[in-house]
Amino acid sequence: MILTVTLNPAVDKTCQIARLLPGEVNRLEKTFSVAGGKGINVTKILRQFHLPAAAMGFLGGYTGRMIEDAVMELGAECHFTRIQGETRTNVNLLGADGYVTELLEPGPEISKEELANFKKEFEYCLEQSSLVVLSGSVPKGVPADIYGELAARCRAEGRRVILDTSGELLREGVKEKPYMIKPNKRELEFLAGCRLPDQEAVEEEAKRLAEQGVCKVVVSMGSRGILYVDREQTIFEPAKDVKVLNTVGCGDSVVASMAMSEQAGEEPSMALKKAAALSAANAVTRESGKIPMDVYLELL
Ligand SMILES: Nc1ncnc2c1ncn2[C@@H]1O[C@H](COP(=O)(O)OP(=O)(O)OP(=O)(O)O)[C@@H](O)[C@H]1O
Ligand SMILES: [Mg+2]
């Protein structure tokens, strides 16, 4: 089983509006809500390929229930920790004039007890999982070294772990040498502490991380492609040329694809080809994490 951890999930609500007028009554034309959060996106993709998956993290209030229902409907095991606070709803207002206005909630605060409950549940789930995916940001009350701590537990139990996060969470997480990380270029620059102006600089930094003990460094570079570095080899897979509608969740698609390739024991070169095809297929639909299989197979 693949275990995904989403500590800071959200309901993503997209609304169409003719034009947003501050201070006025604004009527929305159309709305649709989906369960969001990076790890949940990964679960969604894994289930489309019929892989056994379990999801965990913090959920609270009515929005929390909505996410739990959505994950159950995917046919994934739910091991979320209930919290007093309410899970966020992030609102995206799509104006007919092309402007996108985002309204992001601050999100809940996690108590010490809730954090302890999560860690207990993590131990239980870890036992039944061969691969763990740690994705995204964390809510208030969760320390910056949480991913480092979880990655260390994975290593101690001989479980592979993929870390996909940013900023301090990534820096602290990398200290515990996760099996695989999937930074984008910006996140890699944060780790480097400087701008990485060209491909050579990106490769150098990825190699430095591999030397430090991260087994597999997968750098996603948006419409350019994906770079893979381990101690023995460096591979670059160019991105697929597709008609892009929405690139949100492309990073999650790379993570899900790499996780599936790990489970299948595939070579890195094949894994990268699949990841490039899957992430491009994600970009041609509006809903993130919803893969049009025909497009994916054709690209592959
Ligand atoms: N415009 C595009 N055309 C084709 N493929 C794309 C495009 N944008 C992204 N991809 C594919 O998706 C992969 C991941 O995208 P990106 O590097 O933007 O991830 P990210 O910044 O982590 O995204 P997010 O965190 O929002 O999911 C890229 O390496 C590439 O293979
Ligand atoms: Mg990302």
Side-chain angles (χ1 to χ4, degrees):
M1 191 168 72
I2 299 176
L3 174 66
T4 66
V5 178
T6 314
L7 295 178
N8 207 8
V11 167
D12 290 324
K13 183 166 187 169
T14 305
C15 313
Q16 279 181 25
I17 184 168
R19 191 156 148 248
L20 181 66
L21 299 168
E24 302 281 333
V25 173
N26 288 273
R27 288 187 199 284
L28 305 172
E29 286 165 359
K30 231 199 243 165
T31 67
F32 78 94
S33 297
V34 293
K38 294 184 165 298
I40 287 174
N41 273 343
V42 173
T43 312
K44 194 164 148 183
I45 297 170
L46 295 175
R47 291 302 302 145
Q48 285 164 75
F49 286 84
H50 309 292
L51 265 81
M56 61 182 310
F58 297 110
L59 288 182
Y62 174 70
T63 40
R65 275 190 209 293
M66 190 193 140
I67 292 179
E68 187 155 33
D69 285 352
V71 172
M72 296 236 266
E73 243 166 68
L74 294 173
E77 274 186 35
C78 275
H79 291 275
F80 289 95
T81 304
R82 279 267 142 208
I83 55 169
Q84 276 290 308
E86 166 122 4
T87 295
R88 303 174 297 161
T89 299
N90 291 333
V91 177
N92 247 307
L93 298 174
L94 305 180
D97 50 12
Y99 282 103
V100 178
T101 308
E102 281 189 63
L103 308 173
L104 306 181
E105 287 185 28
E109 178 139 11
I110 307 302
S111 70
K112 287 199 169 65
E113 197 188 346
E114 288 162 349
L115 184 60
N117 288 344
F118 163 78
K119 286 183 188 173
K120 213 186 292 166
E121 190 67 18
F122 182 77
E123 290 299 321
Y124 170 78
C125 291
L126 188 57
E127 244 173 63
Q128 358 224 328
S129 313
S130 49
L131 182 73
V132 179
V133 175
L134 307 171
S135 291
S137 62
V138 304
K140 285 191 280 296
V142 176
D145 64 358
I146 183 75
Y147 288 142
E149 186 181 337
L150 300 180
R153 286 296 305 132
C154 291
R155 185 152 43 92
E157 298 298 322
R159 307 300 202 261
R160 285 162 300 167
V161 60
I162 305 180
L163 176 63
D164 176 18
T165 187
S166 56
E168 283 306 322
L169 290 159
L170 176 59
R171 175 144 52 210
E172 290 296 320
V174 163
K175 287 183 186 165
E176 292 297 335
K177 306 174 178 48
Y179 176 75
M180 186 190 295
I181 58 173
K182 199 243 29 98
N184 59 24
K185 188 161 168 272
R186 200 169 359 96
E187 290 153 356
L188 193 72
E189 285 176 337
F190 182 87
L191 286 180
C194 62
R195 287 222 41 223
L196 302 169
D198 49 31
Q199 180 85 4
E200 207 184 319
V202 170
E203 277 187 36
E204 278 303 307
E205 177 59 17
K207 276 183 195 150
R208 189 183 67 84
L209 290 162
E211 289 303 324
Q212 274 179 17
V214 179
C215 286
K216 303 184 175 186
V217 182
V218 178
V219 185
S220 67
M221 303 173 75
S223 58
R224 293 186 52 206
I226 314 173
L227 176 75
Y228 170 94
V229 173
D230 64 24
R231 271 162 174 259
E232 271 103 52
Q233 56 187 328
T234 298
I235 309 172
F236 181 76
E237 181 68 31
K240 298 287 178 195
D241 189 10
V242 289
K243 194 161 173 286
V244 171
L245 210 61
N246 177 14
T247 61
V248 175
C250 278
D252 307 330
S253 310
V254 171
V255 170
S257 189
M258 294 305 292
M260 290 191 280
S261 291
E262 279 298 325
Q263 292 296 79
E266 278 163 6
E267 289 297 317
S269 58
M270 175 51 87
L272 281 201
K273 281 188 173 42
K274 288 190 169 177
L278 189 61
S279 53
N282 173 69
V284 305
T285 59
R286 201 172 289 281
E287 186 181 329
S288 48
K290 186 147 191 191
I291 308 300
M293 284 297 165
D294 50 339
V295 176
Y296 168 63
L297 292 173
E298 198 184 315
L299 289 171
L300 192 63

